[in-house]
Amino acid sequence: MSNIVYVGTSLDGYITDKDGGLDWLQYIPNPDNLDLGWADFMDNIDAIVMGRNTFDKVCSFDCPWPYSKPVFVLSNSLTSLPDEYKGKAELINGSISEILKNINRKGYQHLYIDGGSLIQSFLKEDLIDEMIITVVPILIGGGTKLFGDLAKHMKFELLNTEILLNAMVKNHYRRDR
Ligand SMILES: NC(=O)c1ccc[n+]([C@@H]2O[C@H](COP(=O)([O-])OP(=O)(O)OC[C@H]3O[C@@H](n4cnc5c(N)ncnc54)[C@H](OP(=O)(O)O)[C@@H]3O)[C@@H](O)[C@H]2O)c1
């Protein structure tokens, strides 16, 4: 079983800007529309566990549903998801450990954990096994932080580094327990 983070951050460690915007993630020109490893990553996960704010953001994009794997939306405030997401995303609630047990029991072992505060909650319980972090060379000065307070140091081993579009650095880390 593994829980994996796959995110893009600014040089100053944010995953959204102060307005919740993500446009800066694409400021490096990508004329050939390369997917930069996204499809390979998605092939290797079984399901996505997403915070409710990230789900809201994905729903606001003017594009078809971007995921081919089951999506579990973690929310303790919603009682249901809009009908149009039936068969695409499923609402779950409860503690992180209960949720994980539930999803693993359904047969999904390799999980993509997505959303700022959700990633931080997983890290607090030492439940993140790998992180793939692409750093975009821009300072955005504020927004949603990728990382937050932790009770202890957590070591990671570097598995791979790639330079994307001659501008961004993608680092793949594995938790060193
Ligand atoms: N740059 C990137 O690669 C990247 C990647 C992912 C997301 N994002 C962006 O980050 C923003 C969302 O991040 P976010 O930090 O605001 O929110 P988030 O982690 O996506 O969602 C947080 C929400 O998830 C629900 N939740 C339930 N249990 C939780 C728990 N134990 N821990 C954490 N959340 C729990 C809560 O919803 P309820 O209030 O409904 O209970 C909480 O408000 C979006 O704008 C998204 O587009 C960027």
Side-chain angles (χ1 to χ4, degrees):
M1 286 185 282
S2 55
N3 301 320
I4 309 169
V5 167
Y6 188 101
V7 282
T9 75
S10 64
L11 263 184
D12 42 357
Y14 295 100
I15 59 164
T16 77
D17 66 22
K18 287 178 187 168
D19 304 318
L22 299 171
D23 291 354
W24 55 273
L25 278 171
Q26 263 126 29
Y27 102 90
I28 299 295
N30 183 0
D32 298 326
N33 219 7
L34 302 175
D35 92 334
L36 308 177
W38 171 251
D40 281 349
F41 170 72
M42 287 302 287
D43 279 350
N44 286 302
I45 56 124
D46 300 327
I48 302 155
V49 184
M50 184 179 283
R52 197 253 309 161
N53 295 349
T54 298
F55 173 71
D56 287 347
K57 189 70 170 192
V58 173
C59 295
S60 75
F61 293 153
D62 188 16
C63 69
W65 183 246
Y67 305 110
S68 55
K69 300 283 169 88
V71 174
F72 294 93
V73 179
L74 184 44
S75 170
N76 291 314
S77 69
L78 296 181
T79 50
S80 63
L81 297 182
D83 282 350
E84 61 193 287
Y85 298 103
K86 280 220 168 86
K88 296 176 178 155
E90 185 180 320
L91 185 65
I92 45 167
N93 50 40
S95 71
I96 298 277
S97 55
E98 281 168 359
I99 282 163
L100 264 185
K101 237 185 263 162
N102 228 324
I103 296 175
N104 292 153
R105 221 182 287 130
K106 289 176 196 269
Y108 305 115
Q109 309 293 329
H110 302 290
L111 304 178
Y112 168 18
I113 311 301
D114 202 22
S117 69
L118 193 60
I119 292 168
Q120 292 186 15
S121 295
F122 270 71
L123 282 169
K124 279 196 172 127
E125 300 191 30
D126 200 358
L127 288 169
I128 294 295
D129 303 291
E130 290 179 45
M131 300 194 295
I132 300 171
I133 301 176
T134 299
V135 180
V136 182
I138 182 172
L139 296 170
I140 58 176
T144 309
K145 274 270 183 205
L146 172 57
F147 297 118
D149 283 350
L150 289 171
K152 57 173 185 177
H153 293 185
M154 299 174 82
K155 292 180 187 157
F156 285 83
E157 175 193 356
L158 181 66
L159 296 182
N160 190 42
T161 292
E162 251 180 282
I163 297 175
L164 306 179
L165 302 171
N166 254 338
M168 302 184 283
V169 180
K170 180 167 157 184
N171 287 317
H172 186 169
Y173 299 100
R174 180 167 58 203
R175 177 79 171 105
D176 180 7
R177 291 194 173 88

